[in-house]
Amino acid sequence: GLAYSLFDRLDVGLYRSSFLDVYELDVKGHVLDAGPFALSARVGSDWRTERNLQNRNGVFGQAILALSIGSRIRITAVPTYVSKTSSAPFTTLKPFYENVFNVPAAISVKVTRTVNVQGEIVPRSGRADSPGVGWIASIEKTVPRHRFAFTVGNLRATTVDQYVASPFNNLSPHNYFIGFNLVRQWKL
């Protein structure tokens, strides 16, 4: 993925996921800081380019609500609406869901000046075929202009349209995935 800060409080991002060959374009704006509370809004669209899909695109909107407890803990809720979701081709699942709403949440704890522990959950959706709660945890090391995170969890989905309604895509919620994320910041 690639994100660029157009202005102090406005970002534009483009991300590609190899699962269903999804391209996700979004705009995120920081709306409010009021003491320990912060609010941002994010809107975007997902374009699925994998062959044999009935549903090619959808839009999403998110409110990002954060509460900081002291200087070390941040709790975040992300109410999310998606117009159309995706699921894997050639499966017995419905090819997509429409008008999905869910509230993923996260916690971040600053252990030291350069080490963070983070956790995220995607609650079970209200649908009967929702097999469980999605989760991912990470330990992150920061150095100037870099963040390296080692992750583990049962979520493999990475785009909004994939994780909000159907995060497992025919996989069991008892499968665990290990991975890492590397973020590099450039000053342009």
Side-chain angles (χ1 to χ4, degrees), residues 113-131:
R113 192 172 61 81
T114 62
V115 175
N116 302 310
V117 175
Q118 301 168 0
E120 299 176 33
I121 63 164
V122 178
R124 173 187 297 250
S125 71
R127 295 185 337 273
D129 65 346
S130 181

Side-chain angles (χ1 to χ4, degrees), residues 8-172:
D8 184 35
R9 295 176 168 254
L10 185 68
D11 297 342
V12 173
L14 178 64
Y15 174 75
R16 183 186 182 275
S17 169
S18 60
F19 182 70
L20 300 182
D21 296 332
V22 177
Y23 291 88
E24 185 171 274
L25 178 66
D26 71 88
V27 176
K28 180 172 65 175
H30 187 77
V31 178
L32 172 73
D33 272 322
F37 299 99
L39 171 65
S40 295
R42 182 177 179 229
V43 295
S45 184
D46 291 298
W47 295 281
R48 295 172 278 285
T49 61
E50 177 76 45
R51 285 187 277 165
N52 300 315
L53 290 179
Q54 294 178 3
N55 180 37
R56 293 278 173 201
N57 57 34
V59 296
F60 63 86
Q62 297 178 303
I64 304 162
L65 311 163
L67 168 65
S68 294
I69 301 171
S71 63
R72 295 195 174 266
I73 299 172
R74 176 173 284 185
I75 299 169
T76 307
V78 187
T80 301
Y81 166 80
V82 175
S83 67
K84 292 182 181 176
T85 67
S86 61
S87 63
F90 310 116
T91 67
T92 58
L93 290 177
K94 189 176 179 182
F96 61 89
Y97 298 98
E98 295 181 304
N99 300 319
V100 177
F101 181 79
N102 203 342
V103 185
I107 187 167
S108 179
V109 178
K110 188 175 184 178
V111 178
T112 70
R113 192 172 61 81
T114 62
V115 175
N116 302 310
V117 175
Q118 301 168 0
E120 299 176 33
I121 63 164
V122 178
R124 173 187 297 250
S125 71
R127 295 185 337 273
D129 65 346
S130 181
V133 173
W135 64 273
I136 190 166
S138 68
I139 185 162
E140 179 183 74
K141 171 70 174 164
T142 63
V143 295
R145 298 195 180 272
H146 291 83
R147 293 177 176 268
F148 180 81
F150 175 74
T151 63
V152 64
N154 68 355
L155 286 176
R156 194 168 170 211
T158 57
T159 62
V160 174
D161 72 319
Q162 292 171 2
Y163 68 71
V164 134
S166 178
F168 302 110
N169 290 304
N170 276 345
L171 300 172
S172 166

Side-chain angles (χ1 to χ4, degrees), residues 34 137 188:
L188 300 177

